[in-house]
Amino acid sequence: MKKVTSQIFVAIVCAFLGFLLAHQFKLLNEKDKMNVATQSLDIMAEIDALKKEKEELTKENSSLSQELKQLEEAAAQEGDLEAEIKKQLDNARMNLGLVDVKGPGIIITITPKSNIFSSNTSTSRSISEDEIVHVVNSLRYIKAEAISVNDFRLTPQSGIKNSGDWIWIGTSGQIDPKEKIVIKAIGDKQALSVAANFQGVLNYGALQNYYCEVKESDEIIINKTNQSLKNEYIKPVN
């Protein structure tokens, strides 16, 4: 009888302890959820603040650029030396991708074939940084003066890199290799067209899994970069 009573008592104690543990776990889970929710709200608030700050800086930069342009135009009217300085500044800005530009060139449209991502094509793959860099280098070799990928302007500081399922142009240009990709290049349109259609350029690597079309144009517009250009380490040699 005592043995049965002891077993019942132990069972009750175990059940009570189990209830306490379950309750404690529940409280901890709710606390974790609250912490995660709080952290998410803090992160969202920080992202919104950074977006607003970026918009304000963009507006301020645009205003200062306009003011600088007016000052340069006023200075250019004073003499040949000032006009030459302004011309060199304009050329530098165009080469750095800091202003919108237009001119003749070509437009390359790269479209995935309909069956490239089907389950029956295990050997097919989408394009990566390798193919994009290959095409861009081919255009630069023939002296393209301005290039954009999906309207993201390439600058001397724009890298092309895979990250996850995306191809990144610089730090803000997100390219989906499963969607249409448009590369624009300004320069000698006939020479650029020959370079793009040269054997081994648009059929390089995984580009064989895509339809590639090259069109010449008398006027292509390539917008300025939205990437911030900074020089922290290089200095002119005296």
Side-chain angles (χ1 to χ4, degrees):
M1 185 65 180
K2 289 182 179 180
K3 185 176 180 180
V4 173
T5 303
S6 299
Q7 291 176 344
I8 294 173
F9 177 76
V10 171
I12 292 172
V13 170
C14 290
F16 182 68
L17 289 174
F19 172 77
L20 289 177
L21 287 172
H23 183 65
Q24 185 68 22
F25 281 131
K26 182 179 179 181
L27 291 176
L28 289 173
N29 286 334
E30 290 177 352
K31 184 178 180 181
D32 289 340
K33 289 180 181 178
M34 290 179 64
N35 289 336
V36 170
T38 302
Q39 291 175 359
S40 297
L41 290 174
D42 291 341
I43 292 172
M44 292 300 296
E46 186 175 353
I47 290 174
D48 289 338
L50 289 173
K51 285 182 178 179
K52 290 180 181 178
E53 183 179 357
K54 180 182 177 181
E55 291 175 359
E56 291 174 358
L57 290 173
T58 301
K59 290 179 181 178
E60 183 179 355
N61 181 61
S62 178
S63 177
L64 290 173
S65 296
Q66 186 63 29
E67 183 178 347
L68 179 61
K69 182 179 179 181
Q70 292 173 356
L71 291 172
E72 289 172 353
E73 289 175 351
Q77 295 175 359
E78 296 182 2
D80 294 338
L81 178 60
E82 289 80 1
E84 179 61 27
I85 291 173
K86 182 182 183 301
K87 181 180 178 181
Q88 291 183 14
L89 286 172
D90 288 340
N91 285 335
R93 291 192 183 99
M94 287 191 295
N95 291 330
L96 291 172
L98 299 177
V99 294
D100 299 342
V101 293
K102 65 179 180 179
I106 63 170
I107 300 174
I108 303 173
T109 304
I110 302 172
T111 309
K113 294 180 179 178
S114 59
N115 64 342
I116 180 176
F117 301 111
S118 67
S119 58
N120 296 326
T121 56
S122 57
T123 59
S124 298
R125 67 173 180 86
S126 58
I127 60 176
S128 65
E129 60 185 65
D130 191 28
E131 285 78 14
I132 299 298
V133 169
H134 180 74
V135 174
V136 167
N137 282 345
S138 298
L139 298 175
R140 280 181 168 164
Y141 183 78
I142 211 69
K143 297 182 179 179
E145 296 177 4
I147 301 175
S148 69
V149 182
N150 278 16
D151 290 327
F152 295 110
R153 179 77 169 271
L154 294 179
T155 74
Q157 294 183 4
S158 296
I160 301 175
K161 189 67 178 175
N162 288 347
S163 181
D165 296 329
W166 307 94
I167 303 172
W168 287 87
I169 310 297
T171 56
S172 58
Q174 193 178 42
I175 305 296
D176 186 351
K178 297 180 181 179
E179 300 293 336
K180 181 174 70 175
I181 297 173
V182 178
I183 300 176
K184 298 178 182 177
I186 293 177
D188 184 333
K189 63 180 182 180
Q190 293 182 344
L192 290 172
S193 181
V194 170
N197 287 299
F198 193 79
Q199 180 66 28
V201 176
L202 292 179
N203 60 349
Y204 174 79
L207 284 169
Q208 299 176 62
N209 301 323
Y210 289 70
Y211 296 111
C212 297
E213 180 184 33
V214 180
K215 283 188 177 181
E216 296 182 13
S217 175
D218 292 327
E219 182 173 285
I220 295 173
I221 296 176
I222 296 181
N223 295 329
K224 63 183 178 181
T225 181
N226 56 4
Q227 181 181 354
S228 176
L229 300 182
K230 296 181 180 180
N231 293 323
E232 298 180 13
Y233 303 102
I234 60 172
K235 296 179 181 179
V237 177
N238 296 325

